[in-house]
């Protein structure tokens, strides 16, 4: 029997992802310049404090989520050998999503902002976000219930995990009392608010920037290489220990603050533990390539996935390490952390989504990728841009941290805050350069994808029997 | 029986339970523990104006570059003041500890500088610190403060003010900043358009908020932090008096730390002229040293923890050199 998949939503989300990627990166470049050229804060709408939030939301929720939804709808159908249970709802999802993100961007530009990181949207938009996730969940569960493939593959676990966890996280952290349509106050105060916010903040990274990206990795790496995942048992252990341990670790964002010390210590201990399940997936990925490492040269997509999972591995070592009390005292609040975040987002998340798109888009349109050569070029430029960015921020962060801690022989402080700002200007300029290089690489990626979409059809659409 | 990898609903329920364990222990249970919500008498809720200022701080995303929590680290306490205590944030909804310090921490900013300093700095940070990368917020002074929701806000937050009280707070603050005796009148008038000078602006509110942050705690510490050692010296003499090299170093320190308030030529701006004969707190080496080290009321910060003893003497040597 031939099953036709409903890929309108996949395509819709893919295009949305590319659009929000450009918007988010442009805003990122703009604020990168503001860091060393403050005159660029031309109007209230373009001031750093507002734009930084547009940048994080635009890329995290605009690009990231759109990419995740695109790939999730794609994988969901193929792994269940079943078309979407509610294709009309999925279309509605695309429209609602873009409407929500556009309104989110506008409202953040206008300064309607709860200040809670990655949960900045005001309450009417929060409601929109919740509806959007419910719409997604209905399709996930509906399709799973109707599925024709008995066993749920690893990627489906991660998609389910994300769906469940995001609901809990988002609702709990965004409980707020409205004052007007554009203003509300959280129900939590002070220390509790901080604790809940960073429980949320950290786990949004976990369940949006890790879970679905791992779902892509576990699905698209074997697809792109034709190699089965090395160990099913290892993936079971990694999944459940990751899901269990992640929720305990938010407090490592609040080390040495007035948060009760036991919560900090528990958070720290679980953060160290988290290295194990994270590396479970890294090892699983590496071992999958066992005996076939020549594919790094011969199969252009392999290097995207392997580089991506490598940055995931580095990220999950660096994170727990910098949470250690001695190191957090030095690194926290500096630009080091900006480097850390961007290794994850530019090196792991975007790299893996890009690779998934390179695989998925040609399949969706029944043709080959527009240009393998351009894909290779985009890989190297993106990689170089990201490395220039992150390494620069690490070095800058070390200098900043050292200047804040430096004392004279008599115990007085050697440097003023202003000294430490002035010392960072060269790093901020190089960071902008890194971001610019990265942006060029991304533009090549987008061009390649769009050209693939545009080229007239050569082959037939994919059928279910070829999938999974 | 089929495994949970074949039963999506069972799988989702299991995942939810697994996710909720850590949530329950580290987040839900602490909600009901006294250690996360300590209450101390000295911490006072924000006034309606301070709250409006706080909301502007949130609107402009100041928390993206400024933290509001001092960690118990020696250099951090030396730089910003005593480390933050959990009770200080009892009225903070949301909390504003931040996650990045592009600019300085602000947990102890309240009362550190006079209002005039903030008006001038918010209006144009680089007029005081050439190397600063903070955006200029002069436009806040050109926007009247909207207080139509002030009472509702304090009610939602449970501050316990009556509507009458909120109106009084707003009017009282308006009278304070528009009075001819307001110490920051000159700079406020300079940056506020004429039609708004008699009204409250968003700038007035954010300055009120900045002056509130950490102030309740500082009140409890009054008199404790005075650098006692200085007082014990009966006679203090400047070891660098008249030494050209030290005077040059003193000038550099002055340009960096002092010129923002006393002017690049020390002829006064927010702070008094240091080149004339009017010395409110005395002109002897000892008196000037104490003024710099311990600070003085109405805005002179205590530099004793930031500048070394030698540096203070060099600055004094430089100031003296201006009079000759």
């Amino acid at each position: 029997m031939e099953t036709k998949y409903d890929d309108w939503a996949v395509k819709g989300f893919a295009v949305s992802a590319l659009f929000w990627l450009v918007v988010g990166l442009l805003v990122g470049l703009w604020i990168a310049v503001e860091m060393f050229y403050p005159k660029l804060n031309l109007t209230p709408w373009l001031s750093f404090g507002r734009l930084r939030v547009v940048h994080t939301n635009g890329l995290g929720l605009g690009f990231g989520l759109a990419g995740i939804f695109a790939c999730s709808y794609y994988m969901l159908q193929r792994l269940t050998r079943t078309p979407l249970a509610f294709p009309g709802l999925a279309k509605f999802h695309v429209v609602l999503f873009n409407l929500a993100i556009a309104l989110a961007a506008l409202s953040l530009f206008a300064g309607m902002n709860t200040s809670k990181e990655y949960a900045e949207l005001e309450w009417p938009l929060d409601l929109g976000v919740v509806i959007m996730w419910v719409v997604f969940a209905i399709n996930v569960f509906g399709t799973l219930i109707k599925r024709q493939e008995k066993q749920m593959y690893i990627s489906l676990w991660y998609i389910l995990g994300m769906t469940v966890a995001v609901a809990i996280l988002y609702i709990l952290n965004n409980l707020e009392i409205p004052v007007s349509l554009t203003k509300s106050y959280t129900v939590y105060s002070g220390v509790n608010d901080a604790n809940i916010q960073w429980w949320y903040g950290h786990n949004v990274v976990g369940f949006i920037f890790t879970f679905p990206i791992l779902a892509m990795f576990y699905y698209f790496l074997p697809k792109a290489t034709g190699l089965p995942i090395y160990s099913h048992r290892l993936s079971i252990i990694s999944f459940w220990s990751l899901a269990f341990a992640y929720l305990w670790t938010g407090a490592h964002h609040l080390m040495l603050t007035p948060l009760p010390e036991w919560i900090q210590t528990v958070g720290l201990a679980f953060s160290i533990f988290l290295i194990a399940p994270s590396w479970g997936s890294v090892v699983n990925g590496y071992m999958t390539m066992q005996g076939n490492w020549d594919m790094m040269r011969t199969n252009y997509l392999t290097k995207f996935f392997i580089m991506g999972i490598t940055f995931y591995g580095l990220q999950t070592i660096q994170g727990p390490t910098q949470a250690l009390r001695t190191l957090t005292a030095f690194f926290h609040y500096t630009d080091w952390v900006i480097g850390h975040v961007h290794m994850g987002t530019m090196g792991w998340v975007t790299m893996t989504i890009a690779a998934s798109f390179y695989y998925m888009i040609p399949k969706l349109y029944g043709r080959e990728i527009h240009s393998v050569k351009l894909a290779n070029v985009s890989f190297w430029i993106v990689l170089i841009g990201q490395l220039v960015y992150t390494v620069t921020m690490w070095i800058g962060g070390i200098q900043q941290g050292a200047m804040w801690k430096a004392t004279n022989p008599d115990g007085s402080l050697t440097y003023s805050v202003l000294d430490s700002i002035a010392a960072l200007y060269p790093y901020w300029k190089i960071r902008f350069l890194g971001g610019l290089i990265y942006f060029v690489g991304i533009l090549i990626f987008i061009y390649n994808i769009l050209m693939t979409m545009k080229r007239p059809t050569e082959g037939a659409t994919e059928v279910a029997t070829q999938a999974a | 029986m089929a495994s949970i990898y074949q039963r999506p609903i069972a799988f989702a329920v299991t995942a939810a339970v697994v996710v909720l364990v850590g949530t329950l222990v580290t987040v839900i249970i602490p909600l009901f523990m006294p250690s996360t919500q300590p209450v101390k008498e000295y911490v006072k809720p924000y006034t309606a104006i301070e709250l409006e200022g706080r909301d502007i701080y949130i609107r402009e995303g100041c928390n993206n570059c400024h933290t509001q929590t001092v960690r118990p680290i020696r250099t951090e306490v030396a730089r910003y003041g005593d480390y933050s205590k959990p009770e200080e944030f009892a009225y903070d909804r949301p909390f504003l500890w931040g996650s990045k310090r592009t600019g300085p921490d602000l947990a102890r900013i309240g009362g550190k500088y006079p209002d005039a300093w903030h008006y001038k700095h918010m209006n144009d940070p680089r007029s005081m610190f050439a190397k600063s990368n903070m955006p200029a917020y002069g436009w806040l002074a050109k926007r009247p403060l909207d207080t139509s929701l002030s009472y509702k806000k304090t009610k939602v937050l449970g501050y316990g003010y009556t509507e009458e009280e909120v109106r009084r707070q707003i009017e009282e603050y308006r009278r304070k900043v528009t009075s001819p005796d307001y110490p920051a009148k000159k700079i406020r008038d300079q940056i506020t358009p004429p039609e708004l000078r008699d009204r409250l602006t968003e700038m007035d509110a954010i300055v009120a908020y900045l002056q509130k942050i950490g102030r309740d705690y500082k009140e409890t510490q009054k008199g404790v932090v005075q650098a006692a050692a200085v007082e014990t010296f009966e006679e203090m003499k400047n070891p660098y008096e008249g030494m050209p090299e030290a005077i040059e170093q003193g000038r550099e320190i002055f340009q960096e730390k002092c010129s923002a308030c006393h002017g690049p030529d020390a002829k006064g701006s927010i702070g008094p002229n240091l080149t004339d004969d009017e010395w409110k707190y005395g002109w002897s080496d000892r008196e000037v040293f104490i003024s710099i080290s311990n600070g003085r009321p109405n805005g002179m910060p205590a530099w004793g923890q930031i500048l070394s003893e030698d540096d203070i003497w060099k600055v004094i040597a430089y100031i003296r050199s201006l009079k000759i």
Side-chain angles (χ1 to χ4, degrees), chain A residues 189, chain B residues 43-46 54 87-93 157 159:
Chain A
S189 71
Chain B
V43 185
K44 303 278 181 277
Y46 299 97
R54 192 171 196 269
E87 68 268 15
E88 289 184 73
F89 307 96
Y91 296 101
D92 283 18
R93 284 169 55 183
L157 293 171
Y159 288 175

Side-chain angles (χ1 to χ4, degrees), chain A residues 50 117 147 185 410 425, chain B residues 6 55 60 99 131 308:
Chain A
R50 295 190 188 182
E117 280 184 63
R147 78 189 185 285
Y185 292 112
D410 64 356
Y425 281 127
Chain B
Q6 295 167 3
D55 285 343
E60 296 314 321
S99 60
K131 287 182 270 181
S308 69

Side-chain angles (χ1 to χ4, degrees), chain A residues 16 28-29 32-33 58 99 120 143 163 175 215 223 235 287 298 412 418:
Chain A
S16 314
L29 287 172
V33 178
L99 190 71
E120 285 96 346
T143 310
T163 312
L175 291 180
K223 279 300 206 183
S235 63
M287 294 302 276
T298 57
S412 61
L418 210 58

Side-chain angles (χ1 to χ4, degrees), chain A residues 205-284:
Chain A
V205 174
F207 288 91
I208 292 185
F209 287 161
T210 305
F211 267 53
I213 314 299
L214 283 172
M216 294 176 204
F217 181 78
Y218 277 114
Y219 178 81
F220 289 109
L221 177 71
K223 279 300 206 183
T225 57
L227 304 170
I229 281 295
Y230 165 70
S231 166
H232 190 68
R233 173 174 300 191
L234 184 55
S235 63
I236 292 180
I237 296 171
S238 303
F239 175 82
W240 289 109
S241 45
L242 193 72
F244 177 74
Y246 234 110
L247 282 295
W248 298 72
T249 58
H252 68 218
H253 289 257
L254 297 168
M255 299 303 289
L256 302 172
T257 67
L259 184 74
E261 208 168 337
W262 71 267
I263 304 181
Q264 298 181 29
T265 305
V266 168
L268 183 49
F270 274 89
S271 301
I272 301 294
F273 170 78
L274 211 47
I275 296 175
S278 307
W279 272 77
S281 292
V282 177
V283 168
N284 223 343

